[in-house]
Amino acid sequence: MKLLTYTLKEIYEPRLGFIHNNQVIDMEDFGEISNFPLPTTMLELIDMGFELVEELNDMIAETDPTFFEEIAYQMDEVTFLAPIPKPRKNIIGIGLNYTEHVAESARGLDTSGKLPQKPIIFSKPPTTVTATNTEIIKNTKLTSQLDWEVELAVVIGKKGKYVSKEKAMDYVFGYTVINDISARDCRREGQWIVSKGQDTFAPMGPILVTKDEIENPHNLNLSLKVNGIEKQHANSKFMLFNINELIEDLSIVFTLEPGDIIATGTPAGVGAGRNPQEWLHDGDVVEATVEGIGTIVNTVKEI
């Protein structure tokens, strides 16, 4: 399923929906016409388990197409929010997870050029989350080195501790896109949270695609443009630690829970790795894309 959280012009309360025949169908309304009560938020849906997605797919296939006409919205009638507008916990970030990005970070930043032997883990607070078509806030009192990082994000679907990599995909609910915005001059003695954790530094969306829609998450193209010029282009097959390995490692460190979000790292092409270095400025438009999911578009706003 292609799931979204959205609002309407006349209704400001976030709504849960899904995309069907290139239209937005409200989840609660679909439940009413199907006489099957359904959740009203993405986290509630995830909590109910992936089995519900399978049931929903069957229900949609069995529903008379005319019923959808009463509860459908055109795509341009809705405002897309982040799929999970307010995560319950910090987003789990993975640093230096593509070989060429390790090399460019060593050139442009103070990181080691050695390939990590285990995943490098950091986090981004829930307040970093923003949606597509919103502003990325560049606080000029804090940073002059604002950078971009397109990433495939994994959304966890059930509680897991000591999960083996062989069973890791059983714990995945779906995928979305995250732009891991980073203030390169805000790293503090090797600590990244000030660099990564400022408000609006995790544009997310535009939708959440359930795992059954993605045949192989380890063969997806990722790309990013700034003002229409491509800066990053790679494929998720080049991750140093793939999703299975990340879930295994993370679940040893702490319990993974439904709704947890893992940003799996960015490929080469970030501003800090360029010669000369490039940074984001007021009015810049950033487009982050992951194949099979979509594109998030954000504009930089200096304050």
Side-chain angles (χ1 to χ4, degrees):
M1 296 188 75
K2 292 180 170 64
L3 300 164
L4 72 154
T5 302
Y6 72 98
T7 59
L8 297 165
K9 291 179 181 178
E10 66 275 14
I11 301 174
Y12 298 102
E13 190 70 23
R15 306 283 295 180
L16 176 64
F18 61 91
I19 296 173
H20 178 67
N21 289 337
N22 207 35
Q23 293 180 310
V24 173
I25 309 297
D26 187 85
M27 188 70 75
E28 187 176 18
D29 290 346
F30 180 63
E32 288 181 4
I33 68 167
S34 304
N35 197 28
F36 189 95
L38 290 171
T40 59
T41 71
M42 192 73 74
L43 287 173
E44 288 174 357
L45 176 62
I46 294 169
D47 285 343
M48 293 178 73
F50 192 78
E51 296 75 17
L52 178 58
V53 172
E54 296 169 343
E55 288 185 57
L56 282 168
N57 282 327
D58 291 339
M59 289 167 58
I60 292 167
E62 295 167 0
T63 299
D64 188 318
T66 59
F67 281 96
F68 288 113
E69 295 176 5
E70 302 176 10
I71 57 172
Y73 300 100
Q74 300 304 314
M75 302 285 268
D76 59 4
E77 291 183 275
V78 307
T79 298
F80 284 70
L81 305 181
I84 302 176
K86 189 173 183 180
R88 292 173 176 141
K89 299 189 295 188
N90 283 14
I91 295 168
I92 304 161
I94 306 298
L96 304 175
N97 200 30
Y98 286 76
T99 304
E100 292 183 1
H101 181 53
V102 173
E104 72 174 359
S105 293
R107 292 193 304 268
L109 300 167
D110 57 2
T111 57
S112 168
K114 296 180 180 179
L115 296 183
Q117 299 304 299
K118 290 186 177 181
I120 296 173
I121 304 167
F122 63 93
S123 73
K124 299 171 79 79
T127 46
T128 59
V129 172
T130 188
T132 188
N133 297 319
T134 63
E135 293 175 338
I136 297 166
I137 302 301
K138 178 183 178 182
N139 186 339
T140 55
K141 293 180 180 178
L142 290 174
T143 181
S144 62
Q145 298 181 355
L146 197 67
D147 208 345
W148 57 81
E149 295 189 6
V150 61
E151 308 200 7
L152 170 66
V154 178
V155 180
I156 297 298
K158 65 178 181 179
K159 187 175 181 179
K161 181 68 174 174
Y162 302 116
V163 178
S164 70
K165 60 185 177 183
E166 291 78 15
K167 294 183 178 180
M169 285 300 167
D170 293 341
Y171 292 80
V172 173
F173 184 84
Y175 307 95
T176 190
V177 183
I178 280 181
N179 189 351
D180 176 18
I181 298 296
S182 306
R184 301 300 188 189
D185 46 359
C186 290
R187 290 169 299 130
R188 297 181 180 178
E189 300 297 329
Q191 294 182 354
W192 293 3
I193 195 163
V194 179
S195 169
K196 303 280 194 177
Q198 296 177 39
D199 291 355
T200 74
F201 274 24
M204 181 196 301
I207 60 174
L208 189 159
V209 178
T210 55
K211 63 180 178 181
D212 56 310
E213 297 268 346
I214 302 290
E215 182 177 355
N216 181 7
H218 298 120
N219 188 23
L220 298 176
N221 290 321
L222 300 85
S223 61
L224 183 139
K225 296 178 181 179
V226 179
N227 299 327
I229 299 172
E230 187 170 85
K231 302 295 184 180
Q232 291 181 281
H233 189 93
N235 189 285
S236 58
K237 67 184 177 183
F238 296 117
M239 289 183 194
L240 289 174
F241 303 100
N242 67 25
I243 294 165
N244 302 62
E245 293 165 331
L246 292 175
I247 288 175
E248 180 180 69
D249 184 73
L250 291 167
S251 69
I252 293 170
V253 180
F254 46 74
T255 301
L256 294 173
E257 296 180 312
D260 282 356
I261 302 165
I262 305 169
T264 59
T266 199
V270 301
R274 295 176 173 271
N275 187 17
Q277 292 179 324
E278 299 178 16
W279 311 115
L280 293 170
H281 302 285
D282 191 60
D284 285 346
V285 177
V286 189
E287 302 170 69
T289 303
V290 176
E291 180 184 2
I293 302 172
T295 300
I296 47 177
V297 182
N298 300 92
T299 303
V300 178
K301 173 70 173 178
E302 291 186 355
I303 61 171

